Amino acid sequence: MNAKIIGMGHYAPQKVYTNTDMEKFVETNDEWIVQRTGIKQRHIAADDEFTTDLATKAAQKALENAGIGAEELDLIILATVTPDYFTPSCSCVVQKNINAKNAAAFDINAACSGFVTGTVIAKQFIETGLYKRVMVIGADALSKATDYTDRSTCILFGDAAGAVIYGASEENGVMSIDIGANGADGDKLTSLAYRYDEEEINMRLSKNPNHIRMAGSEVMNFAVRAMTKAAQRVCKEKGFTINDVDVIIPHQANIRIIESAAKLLKVDMNKIFTNLEFYGNTSSASVPVAMCEAVEQGVLKRGDKFIIVGFGGGLTWGAALIEY
Ligand code: UT7
């Protein structure tokens, strides 16, 4: 059996920070942000709105889109780096909220590669025959972990959630995958939990350990290489070339990363779906939100072959070649 997409849903909070709004927090301007990142606005969760609230709404929409009941789910995998609690996991909170009483549930942390990694796990459970319906959610409320005094990061991040349900099918679904990590460069993108690390804390302007710190240009160089190689590998595994692929849906971090990777892959930007202009970087939510919008806009159609590819904290990467 193959893991076929049977439903998708996404959600982003109502509040929006435009580039002009960002000028109120830090010394920046619309021109710099647009030229260096492609981002024009980002959605921001309300003070009383958290990752599981976004994830629950995306999950409900995915169930509606698939036309199945929550009790039909066998497993919920939720990828996030901004959990409401360490325990219960966000996936357990969502399981309760949607009343998916027959589903197992666990969270994973692979930062911006989280949703793709969740997809890889779903594929294994379905192909072994253990489960028939697996929901993978990418959800992050990065605004809660953003240092709004650091202009090199705060202009990038936004909040959102996307959910995809994979069902067992004899038709093609998730066809090939590639995941990997380079832990040696993990210090290029950090957010602290329990470990007390004074040097790390002091590298933040806010001195808040939970805030994200990033060595932007170094992560960007890694991202271009990781996105290119992972996309090539998932094609090669199936004996495809990139020209056999209809759409590429990358993690929406920075338009310059996507353009550089497109050049290396020798693909036209028309083949690459982007929506970072409207959301910024939403970490694990970015790929499933983009998948939903690609379908809504008629860019991704049933029968198309497409690649999802993520890269980020860890450092990690992941790609999958999927037939929709
Ligand atoms: O999702 C996980 C993966 N994350 C990513 O893939 C993000 C990767 N990195 C990036 O997107 C880019 O590195 C950034 C957008 C964060 C920064 O772009 P950059 O081209 O690497 O710029 P830079 O950090 O080299 O900074 C260039 C200049 C600096 O000024 P000086 O030192 O040349 O005088 C910065 O201080 O731009 C300055 N700068 C800004 N200026 C106006 C940095 N942030 C801003 C800002 N507004 N918001």
Side-chain angles (χ1 to χ4, degrees), residues 26-29 32-33 36-37 112 151-152 155-157 189 214 216-217 219-220 223 251 253-254 256-257 281 283 311-313:
V26 287
E27 201 184 320
T28 190
N29 56 72
W32 191 96
I33 302 174
R36 295 291 186 117
T37 71
C112 305
R151 68 176 181 170
S152 71
I155 50 113
L156 300 171
F157 300 135
L189 209 179
M214 178 166 65
S217 349
V219 175
M220 191 147 81
H251 170 46
N254 185 322
R256 287 158 55 215
I257 294 173
N281 179 345
S283 192
F311 45 82

Side-chain angles (χ1 to χ4, degrees), residues 34-321:
V34 172
Q35 275 182 7
R36 295 291 186 117
T37 71
I39 298 165
K40 290 193 176 157
Q41 64 169 49
R42 60 293 286 146
H43 291 257
I44 304 294
D47 289 346
D48 61 352
E49 192 175 33
F50 298 91
T51 295
T52 60
D53 301 312
L54 313 181
T56 299
K57 288 189 170 126
Q60 283 162 337
K61 287 184 183 179
L63 286 169
E64 204 176 300
N65 182 248
I68 64 165
E71 70 287 350
E72 294 178 70
L73 294 177
D74 300 312
L75 173 65
I76 300 169
I77 303 169
L78 192 149
T80 190
V81 286
T82 49
D84 297 22
Y85 315 97
F86 285 125
T87 189
S89 65
C90 288
S91 53
C92 282
V93 176
V94 172
Q95 188 235 25
K96 174 190 75 175
N97 290 349
I98 65 175
N99 198 22
K101 53 180 191 281
N102 298 315
F106 58 82
D107 286 6
I108 58 166
N109 174 346
C112 305
S113 318
F115 175 80
V116 180
T117 307
T119 293
V120 171
I121 300 169
K123 173 179 159 74
Q124 314 306 315
F125 275 112
I126 288 174
E127 289 183 0
T128 56
L130 196 62
Y131 291 141
K132 288 198 168 54
R133 285 187 174 132
V134 180
M135 177 184 275
V136 181
I137 307 172
D140 267 301
L142 287 183
S143 64
K144 314 282 184 197
T146 296
D147 180 352
Y148 284 99
T149 62
D150 178 0
R151 68 176 181 170
S152 71
T153 55
C154 72
I155 50 113
L156 300 171
F157 300 135
D159 305 337
V164 174
I165 304 172
Y166 295 98
S169 168
E170 281 170 5
E171 292 172 25
N172 280 336
V174 183
M175 297 170 73
S176 60
I177 56 104
D178 180 63
I179 52 171
N182 177 13
D185 282 333
D187 62 347
K188 304 290 182 280
L189 209 179
T190 58
S191 156
L192 294 168
Y194 287 125
R195 192 185 185 95
Y196 182 74
D197 184 335
E198 199 167 357
E199 201 184 327
E200 255 296 332
I201 292 169
N202 284 329
M203 285 166 94
R204 284 146 183 78
L205 293 169
S206 65
K207 311 292 181 223
N208 179 333
N210 302 132
H211 279 161
I212 297 165
R213 180 187 67 77
M214 178 166 65
S217 349
E218 284 156 277
V219 175
M220 191 147 81
N221 289 337
F222 160 80
V224 173
R225 276 181 284 121
M227 178 176 158
T228 307
K229 284 187 184 158
Q232 286 167 335
R233 279 193 211 107
V234 291
C235 284
K236 200 172 165 203
E237 197 186 313
K238 284 283 152 190
F240 287 12
T241 71
I242 205 82
N243 297 326
D244 299 316
V245 172
D246 299 294
V247 187
I248 299 173
I249 302 182
H251 170 46
Q252 308 285 313
N254 185 322
I255 195 70
R256 287 158 55 215
I257 294 173
I258 297 171
E259 285 169 351
S260 301
K263 223 178 247 172
L264 291 172
L265 288 166
K266 298 190 178 67
V267 294
D268 197 282
M269 276 298 284
N270 288 337
K271 199 177 253 200
I272 305 190
F273 185 82
T274 63
N275 62 359
L276 56 82
E277 190 181 337
F278 308 106
Y279 293 95
N281 179 345
T282 59
S283 192
S284 42
S286 97
V287 168
V289 170
M291 285 166 71
C292 291
E293 292 203 332
V295 170
E296 284 162 15
Q297 293 172 25
V299 175
L300 179 62
K301 299 174 286 297
R302 279 287 174 197
D304 280 353
K305 290 186 182 58
F306 71 107
I307 290 174
I308 53 172
V309 54
F311 45 82
L315 300 175
T316 56
W317 72 85
L321 172 67

